[in-house]
Amino acid sequence: MAMSFAALAGFVVGALAVLFYRNQIEAPNRSGETAETEAGALPQGIASVLAVLPSSAVVLDAHDRVLRASSAARAFGLVKGDRLMAAELLALARQVRRDGEIRETEIDVAAHKFGHENTNFAVRVAPLGSHGQVLVLAEDQTERRRVEAVRRDFVANVSHELKTPVGALSLLAETVQDAADDPEAVTRFAGRMQHEAARLTYLVQDLITLSRIQGAEEIPVPEQVSIDEAVHVAIDYCNTRAGAKDITLVTGGTEGLRIWGDDELLVTALRNLIDNAIAYSPERTRVVVSSRPAGDSVEISVSDQGIGIPEESQERIFERFFRVDAARSRATGGTGLGLAIVKHVAAAHAGEVSVWSKEGSGSTFTLRLPAFGGTAVAAPPSIPLEVAP
């Protein structure tokens, strides 16, 4: 149960109790009638408090009829007409009515508001007055639960991914120490240590980048970014790796396009897409980076002639640490974060990334980003497009 909700619920219950007590005291002074509030009416002022609550709020009378329900309670399907639809909540309300004890729990309710998935609620139920009225407060914590689950998975995955190179470095260091009298073995194991150290460096760098942009918040001060320049810089980063596999990096499409955004983030996304294409492409093939206008957006595509992605995996490839072929990813030095970074860069630009792929025929990843000036218009390019050596 979230502490913030418990504190809020406690405050609301206390405030409503004070309102009810004041109504009891002030009623004779106003009208000369008895201080008892009618069982079927809501005490004065309580409706105003319930109206401003962010939580789903329901007030039941002594016969389990709904006297007042917030719009959120109806939107989530907790209330229909004058009935509380969640049987578990109704049973809890009856217990509270019988013994006057405040109760807290968590329940799952079929979420009419969000399709067929269940919604998880933190619930507090309290007596309200002396006529059997009961207050039900329900806070939707589905998103919080989802974020917590993602965080736990992320921490577990990071721990696992860090253990692998760190463990390898420790083992290799011991091996080098034992083989101190064998120069050839020392050289061989030192090379493997460098490989694992580089892998660890890439992982830490990707984690830092992902941490910086994963909030999916738009860039505070977007600037004019040249697509041609961003592609040129990204290709410069990837030339060495492409040359090692004799892969040709080709640029094409419409020159002079610009977007609103951050040039460093765009280069990071393109570099990850190009690196990914190189890693999963056979030797002596081509990777093509092209751009074209698309109404109020610019589309930048990275296409390869690689092994392709199975259809059942295409929906998950942008998840952090998800790998279609884990063994191949480790062999190529991938961190499993590249495509997640691309997705978050697209989100930060109020854009999107999509993929087309067919096993054995290659893949095409497309970034669609808002154009500078609201319309994708080509301007004279500052850097000519060219075939990378």
Side-chain angles (χ1 to χ4, degrees), residues 7 21 33 53 94 102 130 133 194 198 233 250 268 287 297 308 323 328 363:
Y21 177 76
E33 297 176 356
L53 286 178
R94 289 169 178 168
I102 296 175
S130 57
Q133 294 177 352
Q194 289 178 334
V233 173
V250 181
T268 297
V287 172
S297 301
R323 295 182 173 96
R328 185 183 180 95
S363 305

mmCIF file of all heavy atoms in Angstrom, residues 7 21 33 53 94 102 130 133 194 198 233 250 268 287 297 308 323 328 363:
data_model
loop_
_atom_site.group_PDB
_atom_site.id
_atom_site.type_symbol
_atom_site.label_atom_id
_atom_site.label_comp_id
_atom_site.label_asym_id
_atom_site.label_seq_id
_atom_site.Cartn_x
_atom_site.Cartn_y
_atom_site.Cartn_z
ATOM 1 N N ALA A 7 -1.675 8.321 3.605
ATOM 2 C CA ALA A 7 -1.692 9.638 4.248
ATOM 3 C C ALA A 7 -2.845 10.485 3.727
ATOM 4 O O ALA A 7 -3.555 11.144 4.491
ATOM 5 C CB ALA A 7 -0.361 10.350 4.005
ATOM 6 N N TYR A 21 -19.042 16.264 12.170
ATOM 7 C CA TYR A 21 -19.215 16.688 13.567
ATOM 8 C C TYR A 21 -19.718 18.131 13.631
ATOM 9 O O TYR A 21 -20.616 18.457 14.399
ATOM 10 C CB TYR A 21 -17.878 16.564 14.302
ATOM 11 C CG TYR A 21 -17.936 17.049 15.736
ATOM 12 C CD1 TYR A 21 -18.541 16.280 16.721
ATOM 13 C CD2 TYR A 21 -17.390 18.288 16.083
ATOM 14 C CE1 TYR A 21 -18.596 16.728 18.023
ATOM 15 C CE2 TYR A 21 -17.441 18.735 17.384
ATOM 16 C CZ TYR A 21 -18.045 17.943 18.354
ATOM 17 O OH TYR A 21 -18.108 18.389 19.648
ATOM 18 N N GLU A 33 -33.860 22.193 14.659
ATOM 19 C CA GLU A 33 -34.236 20.790 14.529
ATOM 20 C C GLU A 33 -33.194 19.944 15.228
ATOM 21 O O GLU A 33 -32.218 20.427 15.754
ATOM 22 C CB GLU A 33 -34.323 20.411 13.043
ATOM 23 C CG GLU A 33 -35.412 21.206 12.314
ATOM 24 C CD GLU A 33 -35.423 20.889 10.819
ATOM 25 O OE1 GLU A 33 -34.531 20.122 10.405
ATOM 26 O OE2 GLU A 33 -36.278 21.396 10.111
ATOM 27 N N LEU A 53 -11.361 15.365 -4.954
ATOM 28 C CA LEU A 53 -10.421 14.272 -4.717
ATOM 29 C C LEU A 53 -9.958 13.657 -6.037
ATOM 30 O O LEU A 53 -10.760 13.424 -6.937
ATOM 31 C CB LEU A 53 -11.082 13.173 -3.873
ATOM 32 C CG LEU A 53 -11.279 13.456 -2.392
ATOM 33 C CD1 LEU A 53 -11.978 12.273 -1.742
ATOM 34 C CD2 LEU A 53 -9.954 13.715 -1.707
ATOM 35 N N ARG A 94 -19.637 -3.359 4.296
ATOM 36 C CA ARG A 94 -20.575 -3.913 5.284
ATOM 37 C C ARG A 94 -19.862 -4.239 6.601
ATOM 38 O O ARG A 94 -20.426 -4.037 7.681
ATOM 39 C CB ARG A 94 -21.246 -5.155 4.706
ATOM 40 C CG ARG A 94 -22.252 -4.817 3.594
ATOM 41 C CD ARG A 94 -22.720 -6.050 2.846
ATOM 42 N NE ARG A 94 -23.707 -5.699 1.830
ATOM 43 C CZ ARG A 94 -24.122 -6.531 0.873
ATOM 44 N NH1 ARG A 94 -23.607 -7.760 0.810
ATOM 45 N NH2 ARG A 94 -25.021 -6.138 0.003
ATOM 46 N N ILE A 102 -11.949 1.293 10.562
ATOM 47 C CA ILE A 102 -11.423 1.636 9.238
ATOM 48 C C ILE A 102 -10.601 0.461 8.699
ATOM 49 O O ILE A 102 -9.806 -0.130 9.425
ATOM 50 C CB ILE A 102 -10.545 2.905 9.312
ATOM 51 C CG1 ILE A 102 -11.395 4.106 9.733
ATOM 52 C CG2 ILE A 102 -9.865 3.180 7.976
ATOM 53 C CD1 ILE A 102 -10.583 5.370 9.936
ATOM 54 N N SER A 130 -23.342 8.578 11.820
ATOM 55 C CA SER A 130 -23.994 7.597 12.702
ATOM 56 C C SER A 130 -25.218 6.951 12.082
ATOM 57 O O SER A 130 -26.018 6.334 12.766
ATOM 58 C CB SER A 130 -24.416 8.311 14.001
ATOM 59 O OG SER A 130 -25.278 9.407 13.701
ATOM 60 N N GLN A 133 -23.701 5.312 7.019
ATOM 61 C CA GLN A 133 -23.026 5.721 5.802
ATOM 62 C C GLN A 133 -21.553 5.315 5.847
ATOM 63 O O GLN A 133 -20.923 5.336 6.902
ATOM 64 C CB GLN A 133 -23.150 7.231 5.595
ATOM 65 C CG GLN A 133 -24.585 7.680 5.330
ATOM 66 C CD GLN A 133 -24.700 9.186 5.204
ATOM 67 O OE1 GLN A 133 -23.747 9.918 5.455
ATOM 68 N NE2 GLN A 133 -25.884 9.651 4.822
ATOM 69 N N GLN A 194 40.895 -6.847 -22.687
ATOM 70 C CA GLN A 194 40.560 -5.597 -23.349
ATOM 71 C C GLN A 194 39.164 -5.657 -23.957
ATOM 72 O O GLN A 194 38.396 -4.693 -23.905
ATOM 73 C CB GLN A 194 41.594 -5.283 -24.433
ATOM 74 C CG GLN A 194 42.956 -4.884 -23.881
ATOM 75 C CD GLN A 194 43.953 -4.634 -24.996
ATOM 76 O OE1 GLN A 194 43.840 -5.184 -26.093
ATOM 77 N NE2 GLN A 194 44.946 -3.787 -24.720
ATOM 78 N N ALA A 198 36.101 -3.282 -22.852
ATOM 79 C CA ALA A 198 35.380 -2.458 -23.828
ATOM 80 C C ALA A 198 33.884 -2.719 -23.739
ATOM 81 O O ALA A 198 33.070 -1.790 -23.798
ATOM 82 C CB ALA A 198 35.890 -2.758 -25.239
ATOM 83 N N VAL A 233 27.944 12.320 -39.285
ATOM 84 C CA VAL A 233 28.656 12.076 -38.023
ATOM 85 C C VAL A 233 28.444 10.641 -37.556
ATOM 86 O O VAL A 233 29.387 9.968 -37.103
ATOM 87 C CB VAL A 233 28.188 13.075 -36.938
ATOM 88 C CG1 VAL A 233 28.802 12.719 -35.585
ATOM 89 C CG2 VAL A 233 28.553 14.501 -37.325
ATOM 90 N N VAL A 250 26.022 3.339 -47.180
ATOM 91 C CA VAL A 250 25.553 4.177 -48.279
ATOM 92 C C VAL A 250 24.511 5.150 -47.762
ATOM 93 O O VAL A 250 23.640 4.776 -46.971
ATOM 94 C CB VAL A 250 24.928 3.310 -49.402
ATOM 95 C CG1 VAL A 250 24.470 4.185 -50.559
ATOM 96 C CG2 VAL A 250 25.927 2.263 -49.881
ATOM 97 N N THR A 268 23.154 9.819 -31.717
ATOM 98 C CA THR A 268 23.179 8.614 -30.881
ATOM 99 C C THR A 268 22.210 7.563 -31.413
ATOM 100 O O THR A 268 22.546 6.370 -31.506
ATOM 101 C CB THR A 268 22.807 8.970 -29.430
ATOM 102 O OG1 THR A 268 23.786 9.861 -28.901
ATOM 103 C CG2 THR A 268 22.746 7.717 -28.564
ATOM 104 N N VAL A 287 24.693 -1.345 -46.052
ATOM 105 C CA VAL A 287 23.742 -0.727 -45.121
ATOM 106 C C VAL A 287 23.426 0.662 -45.685
ATOM 107 O O VAL A 287 24.336 1.451 -45.934
ATOM 108 C CB VAL A 287 24.324 -0.607 -43.696
ATOM 109 C CG1 VAL A 287 23.388 0.226 -42.813
ATOM 110 C CG2 VAL A 287 24.516 -1.994 -43.097
ATOM 111 N N SER A 297 6.632 15.728 -41.047
ATOM 112 C CA SER A 297 7.702 14.947 -40.418
ATOM 113 C C SER A 297 8.788 14.630 -41.432
ATOM 114 O O SER A 297 8.629 14.821 -42.641
ATOM 115 C CB SER A 297 7.146 13.643 -39.829
ATOM 116 O OG SER A 297 6.153 13.899 -38.863
ATOM 117 N N GLY A 308 17.593 -10.602 -40.590
ATOM 118 C CA GLY A 308 16.184 -10.332 -40.336
ATOM 119 C C GLY A 308 15.765 -10.671 -38.909
ATOM 120 O O GLY A 308 16.529 -11.236 -38.127
ATOM 121 N N ARG A 323 16.970 -9.589 -26.483
ATOM 122 C CA ARG A 323 17.801 -10.017 -27.605
ATOM 123 C C ARG A 323 17.107 -11.151 -28.343
ATOM 124 O O ARG A 323 16.651 -12.107 -27.723
ATOM 125 C CB ARG A 323 19.175 -10.499 -27.125
ATOM 126 C CG ARG A 323 20.044 -9.413 -26.488
ATOM 127 C CD ARG A 323 21.378 -10.025 -26.099
ATOM 128 N NE ARG A 323 22.330 -9.037 -25.629
ATOM 129 C CZ ARG A 323 22.531 -8.747 -24.361
ATOM 130 N NH1 ARG A 323 21.818 -9.358 -23.430
ATOM 131 N NH2 ARG A 323 23.424 -7.842 -24.013
ATOM 132 N N ARG A 328 24.432 -14.553 -30.173
ATOM 133 C CA ARG A 328 25.010 -13.714 -31.231
ATOM 134 C C ARG A 328 25.273 -12.304 -30.715
ATOM 135 O O ARG A 328 26.273 -11.683 -31.047
ATOM 136 C CB ARG A 328 24.072 -13.672 -32.438
ATOM 137 C CG ARG A 328 24.654 -12.913 -33.629
ATOM 138 C CD ARG A 328 23.662 -12.827 -34.775
ATOM 139 N NE ARG A 328 24.227 -12.107 -35.897
ATOM 140 C CZ ARG A 328 24.819 -12.659 -36.935
ATOM 141 N NH1 ARG A 328 24.950 -13.975 -36.977
ATOM 142 N NH2 ARG A 328 25.302 -11.935 -37.927
ATOM 143 N N SER A 363 16.414 -5.994 -42.635
ATOM 144 C CA SER A 363 15.512 -5.183 -41.810
ATOM 145 C C SER A 363 15.638 -3.717 -42.196
ATOM 146 O O SER A 363 16.682 -3.274 -42.685
ATOM 147 C CB SER A 363 15.852 -5.335 -40.319
ATOM 148 O OG SER A 363 15.839 -6.684 -39.917
#
